[in-house]
Amino acid sequence: MYRFLLTPRWIALHVVVLLVIPAFVLLGRWQFGRFEERSANSDRVTANLAAPPVPVESLAGPVAEEDDRYRAVTASGSYDAAQGLLVRRRPQEGRPGFYVLTPLVMADGRAVLVNRGWVKAGATADTPPEVPPPPTGQVNVTGRLRLSESEESSGIRDRQGLPAGQVLLINLDTIGKRLPYELLGGYVDLTGQQPDTDPAPEPVPAPDVGAGGGLNLAYGVQWWLFIGVAIGGWILLIRREAADQRAEGAQAEADEETAAPAG
């Protein structure tokens, strides 16, 4: 009855199903892995945002560690406004603009780069934005520790030939070569400072930690549900074909009996 399973059409279907099932397994496992990775990252960032601030130099020496991203930090020193930079292509709330970077020179002679906030772009691409100056003298800042950017981590392609005082990436190695003092290995998104200034750049919003990979979990479950759909559909097609063949056989026998001459 099930000899039809060995016909070329059905063998092709078996092959497709046997290829699809492991593919769905692997896709589901990949999504579950992404869920675990994003959940761990979300938990880490949430904990760092809620942690009490620590001196930035205790976390950002020559480099800043991945696990310390968005950790609340403090720093004291004086802004070197002459070495300030603008970071291009940094939209905020759907508006084009720049980040305002200013080195904060600390008592030990080193400096930490502070992202003082966002300013809107000028009227044209060639019009410099209006940038509020930083406070003068001794300043105490608090903020979120960030890591040096690269093309790979930011998705932004760097290029030369920008207007003076502008960059595309907050790459601390590249920026540090222009400065007369040593930069710490992480920079700070400003959240508060004393003394404050008015006007001032708009604060950079806190990171959106999201749902911790909830979509990846849903996609993983979905891929594994597809495994059941594939197997169930395969079995259903086999049973339907077998039922059709039984019905055809019964009809053929009935036709033969009807066509046979009466004895």
Side-chain angles (χ1 to χ4, degrees):
M1 179 183 300
Y2 289 95
R3 283 180 294 180
F4 65 86
L5 295 175
L6 300 178
T7 61
R9 179 171 67 90
W10 278 93
I11 289 175
L13 178 61
H14 303 332
V15 171
V16 170
V17 173
L18 293 176
L19 290 175
V20 161
I21 290 173
F24 287 172
V25 170
L26 292 176
L27 287 168
R29 290 182 62 183
W30 179 78
Q31 289 289 358
F32 290 138
R34 291 289 291 162
F35 163 70
E36 293 177 356
E37 177 184 329
R38 291 186 174 182
S39 294
N41 177 72
S42 177
D43 292 343
R44 182 169 59 246
V45 170
T46 300
N48 285 348
L49 290 170
V54 297
V56 65
E57 57 268 32
S58 69
L59 298 179
V63 295
E65 299 296 332
E66 179 75 18
D67 286 349
D68 292 326
R69 284 184 307 123
Y70 298 109
R71 180 70 190 271
V73 293
T74 61
S76 297
S78 58
Y79 282 119
D80 186 358
Q83 299 292 346
L85 294 169
L86 293 174
V87 189
R88 298 171 63 92
R89 298 182 184 174
R90 301 297 167 131
Q92 188 159 301
E93 297 180 353
R95 299 170 295 166
F98 299 79
Y99 283 162
V100 180
L101 298 181
T102 311
L104 183 75
V105 183
M106 300 181 294
D108 63 4
R110 295 183 298 170
V112 59
L113 204 59
V114 178
N115 178 6
R116 295 197 291 121
W118 179 91
V119 293
K120 66 179 180 179
T124 69
D126 298 326
T127 304
E130 296 183 7
V131 182
T136 59
Q138 185 73 10
V139 181
N140 299 316
V141 306
T142 57
R144 298 181 291 266
L145 181 64
R146 302 293 306 276
L147 307 185
S148 180
E149 294 180 344
S150 65
E151 290 186 346
E152 292 75 18
S153 66
S154 67
I156 299 172
R157 185 176 180 81
D158 201 5
R159 64 179 178 86
Q160 304 299 316
L162 299 177
Q166 296 187 14
V167 295
L168 283 166
L169 293 172
I170 309 177
N171 185 292
L172 300 177
D173 289 336
T174 302
I175 294 173
K177 293 176 182 178
R178 310 176 182 180
L179 301 177
Y181 31 72
E182 178 186 350
L183 273 184
L184 296 186
Y187 71 96
V188 176
D189 278 346
L190 184 68
T191 58
Q193 68 182 7
Q194 292 295 331
D196 205 353
T197 58
D198 186 17
E202 294 185 23
V204 176
D208 181 8
V209 296
L215 282 177
N216 296 102
L217 177 62
Y219 290 148
V221 172
Q222 179 179 320
W223 282 118
W224 282 18
L225 287 176
F226 286 163
I227 297 172
V229 172
I231 294 174
W234 185 31
I235 294 173
L236 180 62
L237 288 174
I238 291 173
R239 295 181 63 180
R240 182 176 296 174
E241 181 72 14
D244 289 344
Q245 292 205 7
R246 283 196 299 268
E248 290 175 3
Q251 184 63 45
E253 291 178 2
D255 292 343
E256 289 177 1
E257 292 178 359
T258 302

